[in-house]
């Protein structure tokens, strides 16, 4: 069967689904992308604010994002990424600190002087100290506590990891942190695409459709059956699509609810918990500290960090306003996640203003507040997940999986999602034309 007659259905219109569809369409494969909502982009979706489009959740491009940058090059958007040096801050017990240089560290009074020196020395060597170790089977808490000592763990890393991963934070494999250090640093150049992420998503859709691919939004899948010979995808309105292959990018808990009994029995049996996120956007009439990212520890707030997005993207991106995101990672079943968004916005606005009173921020400086939630953001990986990580193949079916569970040990990001999309699309194309090397 040739690429042009083979039909692939991709379920999920986030960046991974878009990238798979883009690769297949450009290779001449007949491909249909199905997205349940009215927008493409997954966590990269957006909303109108005045005459602008703004991302519901914060994103940036790192210079090490090779897979994402290659994709942007394919669609003519790589040169539209605007690069800028960014800074990190830290808020502890309501006090603001810079956290970028050796001098900043020496001034970081939440730690004793000897702990500041230890923090700096170990941090410089941390990537090297992880080489050759089985970090996948080593608890992050055990590794960091041994290297940094009790004070640094309990005062900094424990609260920071707890805010990211919840009660299981100490058990997350140290490999996750080690991989993250390869992508990020405290002082880093970051990028933001001109026109925002909507421009990237629109360019991807245009590229797919120009190559003959079909993109359908507001097309929720309600059923999926599959054999080695093909699959049937049933939409909410009863329409049935026949496919030679299906690529599912939706989280495994959601896919299990779509699959018929036979397919569900063949799906990976792992039960991987996910952290969701509650995210508030503050549009301000004035800037804050100028730091792109600042964890917030023990400072009387429910949110655990502040991202000053306009420090990277520029206030002109938001019509002259300054944008700050604040967030709290939490289970989708938590009381906070289930709470009314307006109530969260009101309470978090008070906390946000109290936190920044020392900077002179007042109620009059807050122009608009929006709250958004996402249920599946970050898998909470167990120890030894490299051996538990599911295959992209579902044996006995024509379904391939491309989810955040397959990204580990890479950090969840647009870059790692595109890298996974490249892997899965190359596998499909190689099966059609095994002689041609497509990886």
């Amino acid at each position: 069967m040739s690429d042009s007659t083979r039909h692939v259905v991709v379920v999920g219109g986030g960046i991974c689904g878009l990238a798979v569809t883009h690769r297949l369409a450009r290779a001449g494969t007949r491909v249909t992308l199905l997205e349940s909502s009215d927008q493409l982009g997954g966590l990269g979706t957006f909303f109108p604010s005045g005459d602008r489009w703004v991302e519901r959740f914060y994103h940036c491009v790192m210079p090490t994002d090779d897979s994402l940058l290659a994709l942007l090059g394919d669609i003519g958007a790589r040169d539209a990424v605007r690069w800028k040096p960014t800074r990190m801050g830290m808020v502890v017990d309501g006090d603001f600190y810079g956290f970028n240089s050796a001098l900043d560290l020496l001034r970081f009074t939440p730690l004793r002087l000897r702990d500041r020196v230890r923090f700096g020395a170990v941090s410089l060597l941390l990537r090297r100290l992880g080489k050759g170790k089985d970090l996948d089977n080593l608890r992050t808490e055990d590794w960091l506590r041994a290297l940094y000592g009790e004070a640094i763990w309990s005062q900094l890393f424990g609260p920071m990891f707890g805010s990211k991963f919840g009660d299981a934070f100490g058990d997350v494999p140290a490999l996750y942190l080690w991989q993250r250090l390869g992508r990020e640093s405290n002082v880093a150049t970051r990028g933001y695409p001109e026109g925002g992420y909507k421009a990237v998503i629109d360019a991807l859709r245009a590229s797919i459709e120009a190559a003959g691919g079909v993109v359908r939004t507001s097309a929720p899948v309600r059923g999926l059956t599959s054999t080695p010979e093909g699959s049937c995808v049933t939409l909410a309105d009863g329409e049935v699509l026949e496919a030679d292959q299906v690529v599912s990018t939706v989280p495994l808990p959601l896919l299990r609810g779509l699959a018929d009994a036979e397919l569900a029995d063949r799906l990976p049996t792992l039960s991987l918990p996910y952290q969701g996120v509650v995210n508030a956007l503050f549009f301000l009439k004035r800037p804050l500290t100028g730091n792109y990212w600042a964890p917030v520890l023990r400072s009387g707030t429910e949110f655990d960090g502040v991202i000053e997005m306009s420090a990277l993207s520029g206030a002109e991106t938001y019509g002259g306003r300054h944008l700050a995101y604040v967030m709290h990672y939490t289970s989708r079943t938590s009381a906070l996640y289930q709470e009314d968004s307006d109530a969260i916005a009101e309470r978090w606005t008070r906390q946000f203003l109290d936190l920044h009173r020392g900077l002179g921020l007042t109620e009059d400086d807050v122009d608009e507040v929006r709250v958004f939630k996402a249920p599946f953001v970050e898998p909470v990986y167990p120890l030894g997940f490299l051996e538990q990580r599911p295959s992209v193949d579902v044996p006995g079916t024509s379904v391939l999986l491309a989810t955040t569970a397959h990204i580990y040990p890479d950090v969840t990001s647009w870059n790692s999602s595109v890298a996974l999309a490249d892997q899965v699309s190359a596998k499909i194309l190689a099966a059609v034309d095994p002689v041609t090397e497509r990886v």
Side-chain angles (χ1 to χ4, degrees), residues 17 86 94 100 102 113 116 156 159 219 246 332 364 369 372 420 425 428:
T86 58
N100 302 286
L113 180 59
R116 294 174 230 167
L156 289 186
V246 168
R332 61 192 181 277
D364 291 338
V369 182
F372 298 101
L420 176 62
S425 55
I428 294 172

Side-chain angles (χ1 to χ4, degrees), residues 44 51 54 58 74-75 86 101 112 131 140 148-149 155 170 266 306 321 359 379 403 408 430:
D51 61 350
V54 181
Y58 60 91
D74 281 353
I75 60 175
T86 58
S101 66
R112 295 170 298 182
K131 291 183 177 179
T140 292
Y148 284 97
Q155 294 182 48
R266 295 181 180 275
V306 179
R321 298 185 298 176
L359 302 179
T403 76
Y408 181 85

